[in-house]
Amino acid sequence: MEIPVEMGDDCYSIQLIDGDGTFNVSGLEKFVKAVKLNECGLSYAVVSIMGPQSSGKSTLLNHLFATNFREMDAFRGRSQTTKGIWMAKCANIEPCTLVMDLEGTDGRERGEDDTAFEKQSALFALAVSDIVLINMWCHDIGREQAANKPLLKTVFQVMMRLFSPRKTTLLFVIRDKTKTPLEALEPVLREDIEKIWDNVPKPQAHKETPLSEFFNVEVVALSSYEEKEELFKEQVASLRKRFNHSIAPGGLAGDRRGVVPAAGFSFSAQQMWKIIKENKDLDLPAHKVMVATVRCEEIANEKLNQFTSNEAWLQLEEDVQSGPVAGFGKKLNSILDKCLSEYDMEVIYFDEGVRTAKRQQLESKLLHVVHPAYQSQLSHLRSRTLDYFREAFDKALNKGEGFALAARDCTQSFMSDFDERCADATIQLANWDSSKVRDKLRRDIDAHVVSVRDSKLSELKSLYEERLNKALVEPVEALLDAARDDTWEAIRTLLRREADAAVSEFSSALSGFDLDQSSVEKLLGDLKDYARHVVESKAKEEAGRVLIRMKDRFATLFSRDSDSMPRVWTGKEDIRAITKTARSASLKLLSVMAAIRLDDMEDNIDNTLALALVDSSNTNKNTASGDPLASSTWEQVSPSKTLISPVQCKSLWRQFKAETEYTVTQAIAAQEANKRNNNWLPPPWAILAIVVLGFNEFMTLLRNPLYLGVIFVAFLLGKALWVQLDISGEFRNGALPGLLALSTKFLPTVMNLLKKLAEEGQKPGGSDPRRDPTVELQPVRNGTRADSVSDASSGITSSEIGPSYSSGPQG
């Protein structure tokens, strides 16, 4: 239904409900906006008028409130002018006053039996209006069948359908007043009203309730508009004054108990008409709560939407995603306070319980919206505080501050800073607890402190372990290599000394970490165990190389004398004794390496090995009584401390003897060869044979001395060739290589000697003819082959001396 909205000067009118009972929802919304009703709060009043059809209701309203309701055209006859219910804003009346013009009763258009709409409209007017004008003719007062009787019955009957109604002002307007004074008419009217009230069926609870409990009854009289228009207008102007400030105490609309706030008027009117149309009783208090519930919820949703689209909030929400925002709590509290303040202003006139409940719901929804941002703020604060803590903590440690002191000071400082920043981010509406985030930050800080402490302790421990390595590895290796009876005692002394020193320094270094006693004892114990482990590991390593060590020791003792000079096997040495001594020393090395002896416990490994491997007198006994080395363990030595088992010792000794046997054999061979070389004289029988058989040749040499000179010259030349060719040196590499080398060098050497002799023969005389020819070779010392007599002499001397330093083959 399209109904136009008519507007005059400062006056707006609309058909609120048409004749068919259809509520003009869109028209009412436009009307409310046009008159700015929502801004009025409780400062507004609603006036309605009832009366018979064609009784001049619209005319009265137009003159009384400057409205523009349609009036009856008298020249067209008396007929229905107003259909349904119309509403207009009164012009120039404070407060804002709305007036409703109801369809007249007792109209012929609806008929005698169609009274449903009359009752519905009357009930609607009573529920909505503060003041109800009852328009009636003066000549109907006192009549039993007057037209106002059905109207009043209708008003009082429908009044019973309003639960806990507010007190409404009934203003009876007597039209076309006659000469009878109002003072005479009013008692009669009131008596008629009381009779009608008493005869109206009432609920049991209101059987004895007087009319005054429900209505304020006022009576005014107006002259005839048609006959006395000027007087009528004067009286109307006087009546109009009573509607100014009608809601003030004592005014026509002074009872404001059941008033609906202006912001809820539109919705309230719609719901009231809906209930009335469904022919249900209208519970005004419940209706008031329902209207407040709907409107407060609408307003709350509107404010929530405004908040979610607020630019300041959106910017704050965006900023907090990338990092902590300074003044986060203050900014957000300001936006939230503004939102809630606007809500409070708009719902201030609604039911307190409803608006409070809806406010709490709005707060809950707002907090639900901002909670992720709040959590992001706390998360950023936690992360940044943790980063700053790490940086400050590292700086404090780098400056040399004690670990425990630095950790305590930094923790307290940054936890306090975090608490301050959390307080700055607090949302006043919310009772949010930041303790979980704080606890997580504290756990993260503690975890970082523990991590750094473990790292520092690990570095410190590694430092002292490295020191122990340097202090123990090489000395232990040297002691084990020496392999004396007191070797393990010396190792134990070394271990105690170095371990105690390291533990003492380590304990002092640990004092700055504020560790509990059990942790300190464990760390110190671990360091002691590590020192012991270093020695044991080195012993195991050396035990793995024991065969090499034994052979090296044997070779050293067998091939060198007490002055560490190489032995020369001249034939006077006792190779058997030397061999036994060297093997005994090697066996001592084996017995020292056989087990770890850090616990200062006695064992018989040394004696067992000596009896089983060196002392040959016990060989038969061992065979008869059993082999003491035929076992995998040593007596009095735990398997964990055993490095070389008895069976392994026996196998190593067998291998050792096999690999050193060649060295002994070579020494014996060298000794025999040396003996043969030193015995250059032939046997006596050979000397005797030479003397007997060479007697004739000897006599021939005596008879002819020239032979002696020839022999002497041949000797000198042979000796010179011997030196120049280095015959003894060439034959050291073997007979065949020596012969091949000499064959290549013989002819050049002979030619070189002859050349030098020729050069000497060409020199001027004056030289001593008795001079040794070998001396003549000295001038060619710097020649290409440096073969002077001096060199030859040196070679001879070296050849003669050399054998005294040579030794047999070395093992």
Side-chain angles (χ1 to χ4, degrees):
M1 179 185 65
E2 188 67 27
I3 301 176
V5 177
E6 300 179 11
M7 297 186 183
D9 295 338
D10 199 22
C11 174
Y12 306 92
S13 62
I14 184 176
Q15 187 178 29
L16 184 63
I17 300 172
D18 65 10
D20 297 328
T22 303
F23 197 96
N24 186 8
V25 177
S26 61
L28 179 58
E29 294 295 335
K30 294 178 180 179
F31 177 83
V32 168
K33 291 181 180 178
V35 302
K36 300 180 181 179
L37 183 63
N38 289 339
E39 301 176 4
C40 295
L42 296 179
S43 297
Y44 77 102
V46 180
V47 180
S48 61
I49 189 167
M50 300 181 187
Q53 178 178 305
S54 303
S55 61
K57 298 189 300 300
S58 300
T59 301
L60 174 61
L61 294 179
N62 289 339
H63 283 83
L64 183 61
F65 299 114
T67 55
N68 56 1
F69 293 122
R70 181 181 175 187
E71 300 178 9
M72 183 187 71
D73 188 353
F75 293 101
R76 293 186 177 182
R78 306 184 70 85
S79 61
Q80 187 180 49
T81 305
T82 303
K83 295 181 179 181
I85 300 175
W86 285 73
M87 176 180 282
K89 177 181 180 296
C90 301
N92 302 320
I93 291 182
E94 292 294 336
C96 177
T97 301
L98 307 179
V99 61
M100 292 193 302
D101 187 8
L102 275 62
E103 180 179 316
T105 61
D106 196 23
R108 66 179 179 81
E109 285 80 4
R110 292 191 180 271
E112 183 177 351
D113 297 327
D114 188 10
T115 60
F117 186 80
E118 293 180 6
K119 292 181 179 181
Q120 290 172 353
S121 60
L123 181 59
F124 180 74
L126 285 174
V128 173
S129 303
D130 300 290
I131 305 168
V132 177
L133 303 179
I134 307 296
N135 196 52
M136 58 187 303
W137 299 110
C138 180
H139 52 72
D140 286 336
I141 298 175
R143 294 181 181 179
E144 188 64 28
Q145 300 298 325
N148 65 323
K149 297 288 181 72
L151 175 61
L152 290 176
K153 286 181 181 179
T154 300
V155 171
F156 293 153
Q157 285 174 358
V158 299
M159 193 68 183
M160 296 299 102
R161 294 176 58 187
L162 297 177
F163 293 102
S164 302
R166 59 178 174 169
K167 203 168 185 179
T168 307
T169 299
L170 292 180
L171 180 59
F172 288 87
V173 181
I174 301 174
R175 302 292 298 276
D176 294 352
K177 175 180 171 297
T178 61
K179 295 180 179 180
T180 306
L182 179 61
E183 290 78 7
L185 295 174
E186 185 173 352
V188 178
L189 178 59
R190 289 184 181 274
E191 183 180 352
D192 289 343
I193 294 172
E194 291 289 345
K195 286 180 181 180
I196 296 172
W197 174 258
D198 292 339
N199 293 328
V200 170
K202 293 183 284 294
Q204 189 64 34
H206 296 295
K207 284 289 185 181
E208 304 299 328
T209 305
L211 178 66
S212 59
E213 287 292 322
F214 295 97
F215 297 103
N216 289 321
V217 178
E218 298 284 343
V219 180
V220 295
L222 298 176
S223 299
S224 172
Y225 172 68
E226 294 180 355
E227 297 177 0
K228 301 178 182 179
E229 182 177 355
E230 293 300 324
L231 181 58
F232 173 81
K233 291 181 178 179
E234 290 178 5
Q235 292 170 346
V236 167
S238 178
L239 178 60
R240 175 185 175 89
K241 295 179 180 178
R242 300 188 63 181
F243 287 92
N244 267 317
H245 308 293
S246 59
I247 64 174
L252 288 176
D255 185 3
R256 310 295 289 169
R257 287 176 297 173
V259 67
V260 175
F265 177 80
S266 175
F267 177 77
S268 175
Q270 296 174 42
Q271 295 301 314
M272 281 184 178
W273 183 249
K274 179 181 179 182
I275 294 173
I276 292 171
K277 283 283 286 183
E278 293 172 355
N279 200 26
K280 296 179 181 179
D281 293 335
L282 186 59
D283 187 349
L284 289 183
H287 175 79
K288 179 182 178 182
V289 172
M290 182 268 293
V291 172
T293 301
V294 173
R295 282 298 297 144
C296 288
E297 186 168 352
E298 289 177 351
I299 295 171
N301 291 335
E302 179 184 350
K303 297 309 171 187
L304 179 62
N305 292 333
Q306 289 178 0
F307 176 82
T308 55
S309 59
N310 184 283
E311 293 184 1
W313 155 246
L314 294 176
Q315 185 62 46
L316 185 63
E317 185 181 29
E318 180 181 354
D319 293 342
V320 82
Q321 298 303 317
S322 57
V325 178
F328 175 84
K330 183 178 180 181
K331 295 177 181 178
L332 187 53
N333 285 325
S334 175
I335 301 173
L336 290 172
D337 289 345
K338 181 181 179 182
C339 177
L340 293 173
S341 297
E342 292 177 354
Y343 168 84
D344 291 337
M345 290 178 62
E346 294 191 27
V347 302
I348 189 172
Y349 299 113
F350 288 102
D351 181 80
E352 182 178 1
V354 173
R355 70 172 186 254
T356 301
K358 294 302 177 182
R359 189 184 200 276
Q360 291 175 351
Q361 293 179 9
L362 176 59
E363 290 177 0
S364 177
K365 292 178 180 179
L366 289 172
L367 293 178
H368 179 73
V369 172
V370 304
H371 187 260
Y374 175 76
Q375 288 294 333
S376 297
Q377 174 76 359
L378 292 188
S379 178
H380 288 311
L381 289 177
R382 180 189 63 81
S383 300
R384 183 161 295 187
T385 302
L386 182 60
D387 292 340
Y388 288 159
F389 169 81
R390 289 172 175 169
E391 183 179 351
F393 186 47
D394 290 342
K395 288 182 179 179
L397 293 179
N398 292 334
K399 290 179 180 178
E401 190 173 343
F403 184 90
L405 180 61
R408 183 168 56 252
D409 291 347
C410 290
T411 299
Q412 291 177 354
S413 174
F414 284 93
M415 288 304 297
S416 298
D417 180 70
F418 178 77
D419 291 339
E420 292 177 2
R421 294 181 182 275
C422 282
D424 177 68
T426 300
I427 307 301
Q428 295 174 355
L429 292 177
N431 190 23
W432 290 333
D433 186 9
S434 61
S435 60
K436 290 184 178 180
V437 180
R438 188 183 193 279
D439 292 342
K440 188 177 188 317
L441 173 62
R442 185 57 187 263
R443 289 195 300 270
D444 292 342
I445 288 177
D446 292 342
H448 180 71
V449 170
V450 171
S451 175
V452 174
R453 183 187 66 191
D454 291 344
S455 177
K456 294 294 183 182
L457 289 176
S458 178
E459 292 177 3
L460 197 61
K461 185 178 178 182
S462 298
L463 175 64
Y464 283 97
E465 287 176 352
E466 185 178 355
R467 290 185 184 180
L468 284 173
N469 266 321
K470 292 181 179 179
L472 293 175
V473 171
E474 292 183 359
V476 168
E477 181 179 355
L479 290 172
L480 291 174
D481 187 48
R484 297 192 298 266
D485 290 333
D486 62 345
T487 293
W488 281 106
E489 182 180 354
I491 291 176
R492 288 194 294 270
T493 302
L494 173 67
L495 175 61
R496 281 194 299 270
R497 183 179 70 249
E498 297 299 336
D500 289 346
V503 166
S504 176
E505 294 181 13
F506 191 42
S507 177
S508 299
L510 291 178
S511 61
F513 287 87
D514 196 20
L515 299 173
D516 57 87
Q517 187 62 29
S518 61
S519 299
V520 172
E521 290 177 356
K522 183 180 184 304
L523 289 171
L524 297 180
D526 290 345
L527 189 61
K528 290 181 180 179
D529 293 341
Y530 179 81
R532 186 183 182 94
H533 174 72
V534 169
V535 175
E536 292 178 351
S537 298
K538 190 60 185 177
K540 291 178 182 179
E541 180 184 344
E542 293 300 315
R545 299 201 295 257
V546 65
L547 182 60
I548 298 175
R549 296 286 190 186
M550 290 169 65
K551 290 192 295 183
D552 289 344
R553 172 166 285 202
F554 178 84
T556 300
L557 296 178
F558 185 81
S559 301
R560 294 181 179 274
D561 56 20
S562 58
D563 296 328
S564 297
M565 298 298 293
R567 293 185 187 276
V568 179
W569 304 107
T570 62
K572 299 178 181 179
E573 295 80 15
D574 187 355
I575 293 180
R576 182 181 297 275
I578 293 172
T579 302
K580 185 175 182 180
T581 301
R583 285 179 175 174
S584 297
S586 298
L587 186 64
K588 171 61 69 175
L589 181 62
L590 181 62
S591 66
V592 168
M593 295 287 191
I596 296 174
R597 301 175 179 87
L598 294 178
D599 297 326
D600 197 15
M601 295 180 64
E602 296 294 334
D603 60 68
N604 58 354
I605 296 177
D606 195 7
N607 293 333
T608 302
L609 290 176
L611 292 174
L613 301 177
V614 177
D615 194 349
S616 60
S617 63
N618 293 322
T619 304
N620 295 331
K621 291 183 181 180
N622 291 340
T623 304
S625 61
D627 189 355
L629 299 182
S631 173
S632 61
T633 58
W634 299 101
E635 293 182 4
Q636 301 176 343
V637 179
S638 66
S640 62
K641 303 301 181 185
T642 300
L643 297 177
I644 306 173
S645 66
V647 173
Q648 291 172 333
C649 286
K650 185 175 182 179
S651 176
L652 286 171
W653 185 256
R654 187 183 300 115
Q655 185 177 355
F656 165 74
K657 288 184 67 176
E659 294 183 8
T660 57
E661 193 67 33
Y662 178 75
T663 302
V664 178
T665 301
Q666 288 291 95
I668 294 173
Q671 191 178 54
E672 292 296 330
N674 201 315
K675 288 180 180 179
R676 288 194 299 269
N677 291 336
N678 290 336
N679 191 11
W680 55 274
L681 291 176
W685 62 267
I687 296 174
L688 181 61
I690 290 172
V691 170
V692 174
L693 295 176
F695 179 76
N696 294 330
E697 285 75 6
F698 179 71
M699 292 305 295
T700 302
L701 291 174
L702 291 177
R703 292 189 188 101
N704 191 356
L706 181 60
Y707 288 152
L708 291 175
V710 173
I711 292 172
F712 181 68
V713 171
F715 170 74
L716 292 178
L717 291 174
K719 187 174 182 179
L721 286 173
W722 181 277
V723 173
Q724 291 296 315
L725 293 174
D726 190 18
I727 293 175
S728 60
E730 295 292 347
F731 277 96
R732 289 193 192 107
N733 299 323
L736 183 58
L739 290 174
L740 292 175
L742 290 176
S743 65
T744 57
K745 293 168 57 178
F746 179 75
L747 186 59
T749 302
V750 172
M751 295 301 294
N752 188 36
L753 287 175
L754 293 176
K755 181 179 178 182
K756 291 181 179 179
L757 289 174
E759 291 175 354
E760 288 294 327
Q762 294 176 0
K763 288 183 179 181
S767 61
D768 187 359
R770 294 175 296 175
R771 187 172 45 191
D772 191 347
T774 58
V775 179
E776 301 299 329
L777 299 177
Q778 290 179 359
V780 294
R781 178 180 299 271
N782 296 326
T784 57
R785 290 187 56 89
D787 294 326
S788 65
V789 175
S790 175
D791 290 338
S793 301
S794 299
I796 293 170
T797 305
S798 299
S799 177
E800 292 173 351
I801 297 174
S804 65
Y805 292 97
S806 64
S807 62
Q810 300 286 323

